[in-house]
């Protein structure tokens, strides 16, 4: 007797990347080539076998639309489509102003783009993607769309040119671009009763579209060597996505992006994880954003169960560049936690020994008055600790907020600073006790307790929904980058708090990493870890 086979849900992907633009107006990029290769490996590891890859001269309006239409024809209810683009992004005058999308259009300039020729084959507007998805993809097929590009040209802090690594994925930012007319969709709709509405579709109109962008609309997206000097150049969003799906949690049992440790990665968890990772990797210049259909934050991601992530591999020692040859000789040796470089391009740290300042690969001044070898080591050890904690960050429950300036701004001398630990409302209200432990790692690596630190703080227990003010102060010297670490656990971490008292006012950040990892592992998804970066100086 023969039985009909039952169709199994599948994950399909359209991966698009451009890094060679053949244009005097558009800078070529280094990262998208590496992004595209890594993303293909990641999505196949998630069970995708139907993967279409378009790159450089193979990317045009026609090829992208055709590939998306073909994916839609092959897809069935229950499937996932992963639509991914890596490359430049730009803004143009909207063809129709005064709509809910604003007076500008976000668009992708493709290889050969010339703003004067207005060749529609050389650009794709965000509205084109939404129209094609509405016309060509069945409603029962879920779509995760991810764009590792810029959305506009506002910067919070400049990048110091001595740290020669950060490259913006922004093009034509200072030019008033007007795009030409765009052709109508070239294929007939495969769906019933949607064609008229699809031509004006937006992200919010598509109940099956989950959208993640590399940056907010007022930010630039960046690329850099990640995670350390010597690694291939990558986009921050893509690298964070790869890390979240391929490296384990603190307990070693599931993927890092599974914030609650229940073995199921949801779109909401992924969005939260990518947001904090992109913020940390970019020095708070960039913050990924997610648009999720209402009530669908708990939607499980992709159609297959991926294999468990591989154990993490220890990164190589960070690369240190010192321009002055005499000072370089003083930091050379085999017993230091760094590698001395003879070329500053892509270095993790640059020590300007004449001005006694340290720069990081993000182009930020992260410490001043660095004169001696112990001071230099304190700075680098502090950043090694932050990098070790970064994959463990979880802001599903709480997030440390830095104010009052915009996130990532540099605070000048005398500016007021407030830090607050805000509990986030989730699908399920938190009723179990939550205990906060907050400390600062100063720019030179010194550990400073913040909460609880006085008898009035008690055991640090948070009331449900409480927003805990941590610090209200103002900026004074020394300047650089401070990191306020907020650990929220279901029980008071008495042993860890004793350790904090023991190492207070010492350069001892490295001693805190393993105990924090152990606390997170024991909490089984019921703890959170958030870090607020504070950049100071004029």
């Amino acid at each position: 007797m023969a039985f009909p086979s039952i169709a199994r849900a599948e994950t399909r992907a359209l991966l698009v990347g451009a890094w060679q633009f053949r244009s005097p107006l558009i800078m070529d990029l280094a990262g998208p080539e590496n992004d595209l290769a890594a993303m293909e490996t990641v999505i196949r590891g998630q069970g995708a076998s139907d993967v279409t890859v378009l790159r450089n001269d193979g990317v045009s309006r026609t090829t992208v639309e055709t590939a998306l239409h073909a994916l839609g024809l092959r897809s069935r209810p229950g499937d996932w489509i992963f639509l991914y683009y890596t490359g430049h992004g730009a803004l143009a005058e909207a063809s129709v102003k005064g709509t809910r999308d604003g007076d500008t259009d976000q668009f992708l300039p493709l290889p050969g783009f010339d703003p004067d020729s207005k060749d529609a084959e050389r650009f794709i507007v965000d509205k084109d993607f939404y129209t094609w998805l509405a016309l060509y993809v069945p409603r029962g097929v879920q779509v995760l769309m991810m764009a590792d590009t810029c959305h506009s040209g506002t910067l919070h802090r400049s990048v110091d040119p001595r740290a020669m690594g950060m490259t913006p994925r922004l093009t034509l930012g200072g030019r008033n671009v007007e795009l030409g007319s765009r052709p109508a969709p070239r294929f007939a709709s495969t769906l019933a009763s949607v064609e008229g509405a699809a031509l004006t579709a937006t992200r919010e109109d598509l109940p099956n579209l989950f959208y993640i962008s590399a940056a907010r609309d007022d930010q630039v997206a960046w690329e850099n060597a990640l995670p350390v000097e010597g690694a291939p150049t990558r986009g921050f969003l893509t690298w964070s996505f790869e890390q979240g799906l391929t490296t384990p949690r603190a307990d070693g049992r599931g993927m890092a992006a599974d914030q609650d440790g229940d073995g199921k990665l949801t779109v909401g968890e992924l969005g939260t994880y990518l947001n904090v990772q992109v913020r940390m990797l970019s020095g708070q210049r960039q913050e990924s954003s997610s648009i999720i259909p209402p009530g669908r934050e708990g939607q499980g991601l992709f159609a297959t169960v991926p294999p468990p992530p591989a154990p993490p591999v220890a990164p190589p020692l960070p690369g240190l560049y010192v321009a002055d040859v005499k000072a370089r000789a003083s930091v050379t040796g085999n017993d230091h936690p760094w590698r001395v470089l003879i070329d500053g391009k892509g270095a993790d740290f640059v020590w300007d020994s004449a001005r006694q300042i340290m720069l990081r690969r993000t182009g930020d001044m992260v410490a001043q008055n660095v004169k001696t070898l112990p001071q230099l080591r304190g700075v680098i050890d502090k950043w090694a600790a932050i990098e070790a904690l970064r994959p463990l960050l979880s802001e599903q429950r709480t997030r440390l907020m830095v104010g009052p300036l915009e996130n990532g701004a540099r605070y000048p001398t005398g500016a007021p600073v407030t830090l607050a630990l805000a509990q986030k409302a989730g699908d399920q209200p938190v009723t179990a006790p939550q205990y906060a432990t907050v400390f600062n790692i100063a720019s030179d690596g010194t550990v400073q307790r913040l909460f609880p630190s006085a008898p009035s703080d008690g055991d640090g227990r948070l009331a449900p929904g409480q927003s805990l003010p941590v610090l209200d102060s103002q900026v004074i010297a020394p300047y650089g980058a401070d990191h306020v670490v907020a650990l929220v656990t279901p029980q008071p971490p008495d042993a860890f708090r004793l350790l904090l008292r023991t190492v207070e006012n010492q350069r001892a950040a490295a001693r805190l990493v393993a105990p924090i990892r152990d606390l997170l592992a024991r909490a089984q998804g019921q703890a959170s870890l958030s870090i607020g970066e504070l950049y100071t100086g004029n």
Side-chain angles (χ1 to χ4, degrees):
M1 182 179 294
F3 293 92
S5 60
I6 299 175
R8 188 176 65 179
E10 295 190 39
T11 298
R12 310 175 193 276
L14 172 56
L15 312 178
V16 184
W19 57 93
Q20 296 173 344
F21 291 89
R22 298 183 286 105
S23 168
L25 299 176
I26 303 178
M27 175 182 62
D28 287 349
L29 293 169
E33 181 176 12
N34 303 316
D35 286 343
L36 203 61
M39 195 58 83
E40 182 175 4
T41 299
V42 170
I43 199 64
R44 290 189 184 278
Q46 293 294 307
S49 57
D50 185 352
V51 180
T52 302
V53 182
L54 303 175
R55 53 175 61 85
N56 286 335
D57 288 341
V59 180
S60 68
R61 172 182 294 273
T62 296
T63 59
V64 173
E65 182 182 2
T66 301
L68 189 56
H69 175 257
L71 274 185
L73 290 176
R74 296 196 294 271
S75 298
R76 298 293 179 265
D79 288 355
W80 272 91
I81 289 178
F82 180 48
L83 174 58
Y84 169 79
Y85 181 83
T86 174
H88 275 303
L91 292 179
E93 295 288 326
S95 55
V96 178
K97 297 186 178 181
T99 68
R100 58 178 168 168
D101 286 337
D103 293 338
T104 57
D105 281 333
Q106 300 161 10
F107 76 99
L108 305 178
L110 306 179
F113 175 77
D114 183 344
D116 296 322
S117 71
K118 296 180 171 37
D119 180 2
E121 281 294 297
R122 302 295 126 203
F123 67 88
I124 301 175
V125 177
D126 54 0
K127 298 178 180 64
D128 295 325
F129 282 111
Y130 311 140
T131 297
W132 297 339
L133 291 171
L135 285 171
Y136 304 148
V137 177
R139 287 294 178 268
V141 175
Q142 311 307 315
V143 179
L144 175 62
M145 179 177 175
M146 184 178 296
D148 202 344
T149 69
C150 291
H151 281 197
S152 74
T154 299
L155 287 173
H156 292 305
R157 302 187 310 278
S158 62
V159 173
D160 193 302
R162 285 168 292 187
M164 300 172 284
M166 296 269 282
T167 301
R169 291 185 169 185
L170 170 75
T171 185
L172 308 168
R175 178 166 179 167
N176 186 25
V177 178
E178 293 184 8
L179 301 173
S181 60
R182 313 195 306 277
R186 64 180 56 246
F187 303 106
S189 175
T190 61
L191 311 177
S193 305
V194 300
E195 190 150 1
L199 295 177
T200 58
T202 69
R203 292 178 298 213
E204 293 82 356
D205 293 328
L206 301 178
N208 59 334
L209 173 61
F210 302 84
Y211 177 77
I212 299 177
S213 66
R216 298 197 322 251
D217 287 349
D218 63 344
Q219 292 178 330
V220 164
W222 299 86
E223 62 177 39
N224 199 352
L226 294 172
V228 294
E229 182 274 331
T233 298
R234 300 289 300 278
F236 294 153
L237 179 69
T238 304
W239 194 84
S240 298
F241 183 83
E242 178 188 7
Q243 173 188 258
L245 272 63
T246 60
T247 60
R249 293 167 36 81
D251 57 15
R253 289 195 293 246
M255 61 183 71
D258 177 13
Q259 301 273 273
D260 60 9
D262 65 353
K264 172 188 173 185
L265 176 59
T266 67
V267 180
E269 284 179 309
L270 177 64
T272 300
Y273 178 84
L274 295 178
N275 180 275
V276 64
Q277 294 300 318
V278 169
R279 291 197 330 258
M280 292 293 291
L281 289 168
S282 65
Q284 307 296 316
R285 289 184 178 84
Q286 181 182 336
E287 185 168 358
S288 71
S289 61
S290 305
I291 295 181
I292 300 174
R296 302 202 62 192
E297 290 79 5
Q299 170 70 53
L301 188 66
F302 298 141
T304 54
V305 179
V313 177
L317 293 177
L320 171 66
Y321 173 67
V322 185
D324 181 79
V325 176
K326 183 177 180 180
R328 188 187 307 166
S330 69
V331 301
T332 301
N334 296 325
D335 57 343
H336 302 313
W338 58 72
R339 295 171 294 121
V340 178
L341 308 177
I342 60 174
D343 184 348
K345 185 171 183 178
D348 295 296
F349 296 95
V350 175
W351 181 30
D352 187 337
S353 55
R355 299 184 181 180
Q356 301 174 354
I357 63 174
M358 287 283 288
L359 303 172
R360 200 161 180 266
R361 60 172 178 257
T362 55
D364 285 304
M365 180 195 69
V366 296
Q368 285 189 342
N369 299 318
V370 182
K371 308 173 186 177
T372 67
L373 199 62
Q375 291 172 327
L376 180 70
R377 181 166 189 141
V379 176
I380 292 182
D381 282 349
K382 169 251 182 72
W383 280 97
I386 295 299
E387 280 293 294
L389 291 175
R390 181 181 49 72
L392 309 178
L393 293 175
S394 172
E395 294 183 343
Q396 284 285 101
R397 295 173 177 268
T398 55
R399 175 177 171 180
L400 193 66
M401 308 295 293
V402 179
L405 300 182
E406 177 74 10
N407 186 44
R410 185 175 291 279
Y411 286 73
T413 302
V417 178
T418 57
L419 299 170
L421 184 61
Q423 294 192 65
K424 299 173 67 175
D427 296 335
Q428 300 293 329
V430 178
T431 57
Q434 296 284 295
Y435 299 87
T437 305
V438 185
F439 61 94
N440 182 51
I441 306 178
S443 59
D444 64 352
T446 300
V447 176
Q448 303 160 338
R449 286 187 304 139
L450 296 178
F451 182 89
S453 60
S456 59
D457 296 334
D459 60 2
R461 181 168 178 170
L462 301 176
Q466 176 184 359
S467 179
L468 174 69
V470 175
L471 178 66
D472 188 355
S473 186
Q474 65 177 201
V475 173
I476 60 174
Y479 306 116
D482 281 30
H483 288 78
V484 182
V485 182
L487 178 66
V488 178
T489 53
Q491 291 87 30
D494 294 331
F496 180 71
R497 289 173 177 174
L498 176 60
L499 174 61
L500 283 177
R501 289 195 294 271
T502 302
V503 302
E504 188 167 22
N505 297 320
Q506 299 179 32
R507 300 190 190 105
R511 293 181 59 183
L512 305 178
V513 174
I516 290 176
R517 181 185 292 273
D518 291 343
L519 283 169
L520 294 174
R522 291 200 302 269
Q524 297 182 339
Q526 301 304 304
S528 67
L529 177 68
S530 182
I531 297 179
E533 281 185 307
L534 178 63
Y535 289 86
T536 63
N538 298 322

